[in-house]
Amino acid sequence: MNISQVISQLQLQSLHDCWDDGPLSGAYTSDLMSDVMAHAKEADLLITIQSHKNTIAVATLVGARGVIVCNNRPVPEDMLAAARQENIAILVSREDQFSVSGRLYNLLRGE
Amino acid sequence: MQGSTHGIPIDTDKSSPIIVDLIYRLKIRDVMTSTILSCRPEQTMQDAQKLMKDNSITGVPVMVERRLVGIVSMDDVINALMTGTMGQPIEKHMSRQVIVLEDDMPLSFGISWLDKYRYGRFPVLNAKKELVGIITSRDIIVTLLLEMNKEIERFEEATSHREASTSGFHLEYTTRRFDFEMAGRLSTETKRQLKERDLPPKIIRRVAVAAYELEMNQVVHSAGGTVRVVYDGNQGRVEILAQDTGPGIPDVESALSEGFSTATEWVRSLGFGAGMGLPNTQRVSDAFSIESSPAGTCVKVTIATEERSNP
């Protein structure tokens, strides 16, 4: 499973196209950045409502492939610019973290 | 374009080629806002005023189908308010002589036209004369800042690479209280440098996590300070030294236990200050020490860069 498949299956909106479409290892759902740093894995997607530039810094540090911003939260321009530079996908969903996580779990583990 | 063009506040012949290149390389379409709000000529001035208020904007293009027929601004609303004509259709109040920009013009046009025409915004048309965006001075400021930041970072990176020896490196960044924008730069750069030296990904991650948590701690809790990362290839270790200028941690033991936090609500709303910073740092470190007094806190972390087979 890769990002482009997740985008079409979960009907996400991708805010830029500077990202690698390599295989995903899994996903991590959290709004606590220290928690993400402690537990997220390489090549994960990060599911969160934390829509700011530091989320990209944290995603970069843990080697995540992308961030799913839930509840249609607006994404600030500096976050978008950082994501482009670090090749981290930003995918926006209308749904909340529970729904996105559930659907993504079925996609990734139901394969 | 030769010499100083009308309305551009720098001499394009003598200025830094990077900046001059920037305002010609960037096109209006790279800078404009593409989500366009618009109104129709038969709507009332009240509608226009509500649209501006709801979206915190000061001008709206007036459209018939996909054709731009005018622009209505806050000035027009004020005039309508003063003459008691807010119920009238927009077409009676809008400006019909609209100065537009084209999406493939260089940004320098946008800058000089803002000066030349003194309007707050310009509608942007594509080659087919369709409205594709709107550009304000705010859009220009934001884009220029982001682009200049990129250029400066590239410049700084080139400088630091020159100083770095082939094996070891030394990085130092200053943090400021509540400057969340800057936090993360040291850890990102550290990660990049270690990657270039082909260190094991697990080690790189541990170093990056420690550096980031220590940066964040200074931003959230201290009056500011410095974080230094020193990689010594011969010794096979990374040392991180975080030194701030106060006010110190009253209860270091509590600060080291997970979940203890003194962060403010708004810091927590950003996803930080959950009381995991120091415990996280300690967890990824091979050696960890902390000293704190009201004059400042000093954290020293060592991480061995080779996974040791014998303890």
Side-chain angles (χ1 to χ4, degrees):
Chain A
M1 184 69 58
N2 52 28
I3 291 183
S4 51
Q5 288 168 299
V6 170
I7 289 174
S8 67
Q9 297 277 343
L10 264 61
Q11 292 164 347
L12 304 173
Q13 188 198 352
S14 172
L15 298 192
H16 68 87
D17 46 17
C18 306
W19 38 266
D20 303 326
D21 205 12
L24 293 166
S25 64
Y28 196 75
T29 307
S30 181
D31 297 327
L32 277 181
M33 293 300 121
S34 284
D35 178 45
V36 173
M37 273 192 286
H39 299 295
K41 297 178 298 301
E42 188 93 19
D44 266 359
L45 277 177
L46 172 59
I47 300 167
T48 188
I49 53 163
Q50 292 295 356
S51 175
H52 49 76
K53 192 180 169 186
N54 298 98
T55 312
I56 301 302
V58 171
T60 307
L61 293 186
V62 299
R65 290 199 187 277
V67 178
I68 302 184
V69 176
C70 295
N71 286 343
N72 248 345
R73 284 248 180 157
V75 171
E77 284 158 79
D78 59 351
M79 178 182 182
L80 193 55
R84 274 204 186 97
Q85 195 176 348
E86 299 294 342
N87 300 323
I88 304 277
I90 300 187
L91 315 171
V92 178
S93 171
R94 305 176 156 276
E95 297 182 299
D96 62 17
Q97 297 98 300
F98 174 75
S99 308
V100 171
S101 305
R103 303 225 272 139
L104 196 56
Y105 184 89
N106 285 336
L107 267 186
L108 292 168
R109 300 288 179 254
E111 283 178 306
Chain B
M1 214 159 289
Q2 294 293 309
S4 62
T5 317
H6 177 87
I8 298 178
I10 56 170
D11 183 331
T12 49
D13 278 341
K14 290 178 192 151
S15 299
S16 150
I18 293 177
I19 299 297
V20 175
D21 174 63
L22 207 62
I23 62 176
Y24 288 101
R25 174 166 50 84
L26 286 171
K27 304 297 177 206
I28 295 293
R29 74 167 69 85
D30 304 323
V31 181
M32 68 185 191
T33 303
S34 341
T35 29
I36 318 156
L37 295 159
S38 67
C39 51
R40 297 182 311 277
E42 69 275 16
Q43 284 181 284
T44 64
M45 290 302 284
Q46 263 152 4
D47 295 333
Q49 186 266 338
K50 186 170 185 309
L51 192 64
M52 290 184 211
K53 183 165 180 279
D54 290 350
N55 296 286
S56 310
I57 53 176
T58 55
V60 186
V62 186
M63 311 272 290
V64 174
E65 307 283 328
R66 305 190 70 173
R67 198 163 52 85
L68 180 72
V69 296
I71 195 158
V72 58
S73 72
M74 199 68 96
D75 275 348
D76 301 324
V77 169
I78 291 169
N79 287 334
L81 271 173
M82 286 172 67
T83 52
T85 49
M86 287 295 283
Q88 287 186 353
I90 290 169
E91 60 190 333
K92 286 203 167 180
H93 292 266
M94 68 188 188
S95 320
R96 288 170 191 276
Q97 296 295 329
V98 186
I99 308 290
V100 296
L101 284 163
E102 280 171 36
D103 63 350
D104 64 347
M105 284 176 170
L107 174 60
S108 60
F109 275 78
I111 297 172
S112 59
W113 286 26
L114 275 169
D115 184 54
K116 205 165 154 187
Y117 296 105
R118 304 277 167 189
Y119 291 132
R121 72 208 65 73
F122 294 102
V124 181
L125 306 185
N126 64 13
K128 292 186 217 154
K129 304 288 172 206
E130 293 163 337
L131 183 67
V132 289
I134 195 150
I135 187 168
T136 65
S137 41
R138 184 183 179 278
D139 296 325
I140 297 178
I141 292 167
V142 167
T143 309
L144 277 181
L145 263 181
L146 288 172
E147 290 295 324
M148 282 194 286
N149 189 41
K150 256 188 239 165
E151 295 295 339
I152 297 289
E153 272 174 355
R154 215 169 286 155
F155 181 76
E156 282 177 349
E157 201 177 318
T159 320
S160 75
H161 276 182
R162 229 172 298 148
E163 283 165 6
S165 72
T166 46
S167 64
F169 69 83
H170 172 271
L171 294 165
E172 182 169 317
Y173 281 75
T174 303
T175 64
R176 281 193 302 269
R177 183 167 180 76
F178 296 152
D179 188 353
F180 286 92
E181 300 294 306
M182 296 292 284
R185 290 203 342 166
L186 170 71
S187 30
T188 307
E189 180 59 21
T190 300
K191 185 174 177 178
R192 194 166 292 143
Q193 297 262 359
L194 292 175
K195 243 183 178 169
E196 273 176 23
R197 288 163 177 80
D198 280 331
L199 267 71
K202 275 185 184 167
I203 300 285
I204 296 179
R205 176 176 166 144
R206 283 168 57 199
V207 173
V209 165
Y212 190 73
E213 292 285 15
L214 290 172
E215 275 184 284
M216 259 312 162
N217 266 345
Q218 289 192 346
V219 170
V220 171
H221 297 291
S222 82
T226 56
V227 184
R228 195 169 77 200
V229 176
V230 180
Y231 168 57
D232 184 335
N234 300 324
Q235 299 268 0
R237 68 172 182 220
V238 177
E239 276 186 355
I240 308 171
L241 189 74
Q243 173 78 60
D244 66 52
T245 56
I249 306 171
D251 184 351
V252 172
E253 206 176 313
S254 295
L256 287 173
S257 51
E258 203 157 296
F260 179 86
S261 174
T262 56
T264 57
E265 258 331 291
W266 73 267
V267 166
R268 290 180 201 219
S269 76
L270 290 172
F272 297 99
M276 293 177 68
L278 283 175
N280 257 358
T281 312
Q282 199 172 14
R283 191 174 46 80
V284 297
S285 306
D286 289 314
F288 176 94
S289 71
I290 181 166
E291 277 170 35
S292 189
S293 78
T297 301
C298 178
V299 182
K300 195 174 164 188
V301 162
T302 309
I303 296 171
T305 53
E306 275 143 47
E307 282 163 300
R308 286 156 298 182
S309 43
N310 53 331

